[in-house]
Amino acid sequence: MNNNDIDFATIWQQQKVNQPNIEELLNKLKQFKKSSLQKLIISNILILGTSGFIIFIWYYYEPQFITTKIGIVLTILAMVVFVFSNNKLLSVFNKIDNTKNNNEYLQSLSELKTKQKYIQTTMLSFYFITLSLGICLYMYEYSSIMTIGWAIFAYFITLTWIGFNWFYIRPKIIKKQQIKLDELISKFETVNKQLNVKE
């Protein structure tokens, strides 16, 4: 039998001494998955709700400038694309449910790390750039009726908030996600090495 394909259920039956450690590890994986799915669901609800609200504003207020309409389309596009890419993680979480051995756990977690990194870099960059452009275009119609001072102030506040999220909030969230996932991968790799030594 390949060491990487050892069934955890067999280990539990044959080596009662190690059972609590393995159970603790699997519980951490279960908690990580539950927490990640909850955040994914909340993110979907917030983004889709925001998109619906923006569409309502478009319909109710009937903006006149083409820049406003393009801005709304870009904003909604950014949100929809991000939700679509983010939901691809669901297939990886489903794989974890059907996992039976250490090698499969490691493969699923490594796949999750790869997809998560892609979302955190490529897709999140697309999201922020497209969303920022959309908001700036959307604001143009309403800032055009303001005085220059107030228009500059409005754009300054908006871009400052976007920059704060990009340079401060985003890196903290990414780091936190990476630490949790790297910790799980490291622990499963440690279990794998321990099994190899015992063999």
Side-chain angles (χ1 to χ4, degrees), residues 9-17:
T10 304
I11 298 298
W12 295 341
Q13 293 173 0
Q14 294 177 353
Q15 301 180 31
K16 298 294 183 181
V17 177

Side-chain angles (χ1 to χ4, degrees), residues 58-189:
W58 187 354
Y59 173 79
Y60 187 80
Y61 288 101
E62 299 180 351
Q64 301 301 310
F65 287 18
I66 186 66
T67 52
T68 311
K69 297 173 183 178
I70 294 174
I72 291 174
V73 170
L74 286 176
T75 302
I76 294 173
L77 175 65
M79 293 180 178
V80 170
V81 170
F82 183 75
V83 166
F84 178 76
S85 62
N86 211 23
N87 284 342
K88 288 186 177 181
L89 295 177
L90 290 172
S91 61
V92 184
F93 285 122
N94 288 333
K95 284 184 182 180
I96 294 176
D97 279 339
N98 300 320
T99 298
K100 293 183 179 179
N101 60 64
N102 193 39
N103 189 48
E104 290 178 355
Y105 278 115
L106 285 171
Q107 287 178 349
S108 295
L109 290 173
S110 295
E111 183 182 351
L112 179 61
K113 183 176 181 178
T114 300
K115 288 190 175 183
Q116 186 172 274
K117 186 176 181 180
Y118 173 74
I119 291 172
Q120 292 169 343
T121 54
T122 305
M123 296 312 302
L124 206 53
S125 296
F126 170 83
Y127 173 76
F128 267 93
I129 292 171
T130 309
L131 185 67
S132 300
L133 181 60
I135 290 174
C136 288
L137 288 172
Y138 175 80
M139 290 175 59
Y140 177 72
E141 178 174 346
Y142 305 103
S143 62
S144 65
I145 61 177
M146 301 177 183
T147 62
I148 294 178
W150 279 111
I152 292 174
F153 178 74
Y155 271 100
F156 174 77
I157 292 297
T158 302
L159 294 175
T160 299
W161 174 247
I162 292 172
F164 175 74
N165 279 276
W166 176 257
F167 293 108
Y168 182 75
I169 301 295
R170 181 187 63 92
K172 288 191 70 173
I173 293 175
I174 289 175
K175 184 178 180 181
K176 188 176 180 180
Q177 290 175 338
Q178 288 177 340
I179 289 174
K180 287 183 178 180
L181 190 52
D182 286 343
E183 182 182 356
L184 280 172
I185 292 174
S186 176
K187 287 184 177 180
F188 274 103
E189 287 176 341

